[in-house]
Structure formats: C-alpha cells, structure tokens
Amino acid sequence: MSKNKIKLTICNMPCSLISDDTEDYVLSVGKEVEKAIEDITRQSDRASTTMAAIITALNFCDSAHKANEDADHLRTQVKDYVEELEAARKREQELTTELEALRARTAENEALRTQAAELESLRAQAAE
C-alpha cells in the first residue's frame, strides 16, 4: 500500500502525517478529534486544549478497548456457533444414515410381508 503524506490542522495546530489511509479518511478522523476536544473545552472553562486533548485520547482509547473486548466476545460467540453448527451437521448425517437404514429395513419388511401373504395364499390354495 502506498503511503500518503497528509497535512491537517486540529485546534489550530498544524500536523503532518504519513498514513496508508486516504487523505479524506485522515481528515475526517482529524475533524472527529477536533470536535471531541472542542466539546470538552466548551463543557469546562478550566480545561485547556492540552487537557481536553488528553481527555479525548483517554475517551477514544477507552472506546477502542471496549470495542476490542466486544469483538473478542463476538469472535467467541461465532466460534461457539460454528462448533454447534458442526455438531448439528454431524448429528444430521447420523440421523440421515439411520433413516436410510430404517427405510431399507422397512423395504425388507414389506418384501417379507408380501412373501408371507403369497405363502399364505399358496397354503390356502393347497388346502382346497
């Protein structure tokens, strides 16, 4: 992937970055960071830009950690679902095999009933 040199300004501080991401993406992330910092400075008259930047970094880091935990949880759930699906497929195959065996036995039993009926018919004819 090509590296992109991107210039942006966050809270009147110019920044130059090199990123694999597109310029539009990096600029949108920069706007998101700037908005978060500005929200904090608007909420508290005492918060300097530096303090707001630290709080913003903590908030984003916290969100990233929680998102990773959620992703790990989802991966575990997906793994469990895949294992359950494999067990269900195995059980389905076992039941299909059992069903085929029962159908074969049913066909054998039908053939035996037919033969028994024919034999009974022959016995009745012979008795006459």
Side-chain angles (χ1 to χ4, degrees):
M1 214 176 222
S2 65
K3 301 282 185 185
N4 299 313
K5 186 171 182 179
I6 302 158
K7 293 182 180 182
L8 69 153
T9 302
I10 298 175
C11 297
N12 298 319
M13 179 174 279
C15 304
S16 292
L17 304 172
I18 296 176
S19 176
D20 291 335
D21 297 312
T22 66
E23 182 174 0
D24 287 343
Y25 175 76
V26 174
L27 291 174
S28 71
V29 170
K31 286 179 185 176
E32 186 178 349
V33 169
E34 184 171 40
K35 182 183 179 318
I37 292 170
E38 288 173 352
D39 288 348
I40 292 169
T41 56
R42 265 194 302 262
Q43 289 174 7
S44 173
D45 295 335
R46 292 186 190 179
S48 65
T49 302
T50 303
M51 182 56 71
I54 291 169
I55 293 168
T56 298
L58 288 170
N59 287 339
F60 284 153
C61 191
D62 179 51
S63 294
H65 282 282
K66 288 176 180 172
N68 285 333
E69 288 174 9
D70 290 346
D72 287 343
H73 179 69
L74 289 173
R75 276 189 283 275
T76 300
Q77 279 185 320
V78 167
K79 182 180 174 231
D80 291 345
Y81 293 151
V82 167
E83 289 172 0
E84 289 175 19
L85 178 62
E86 287 303 315
R89 284 184 179 156
K90 183 179 178 183
R91 181 67 179 139
E92 177 192 23
Q93 184 59 44
E94 290 169 356
L95 291 172
T96 299
T97 302
E98 185 178 338
L99 179 60
E100 289 170 1
L102 289 171
R103 283 182 177 155
R105 283 179 48 197
T106 300
E108 288 173 13
N109 287 340
E110 279 299 314
L112 288 173
R113 279 192 205 103
T114 302
Q115 289 175 356
E118 289 173 3
L119 183 58
E120 191 61 39
S121 175
L122 289 173
R123 281 187 185 152
Q125 286 176 1
E128 292 175 357

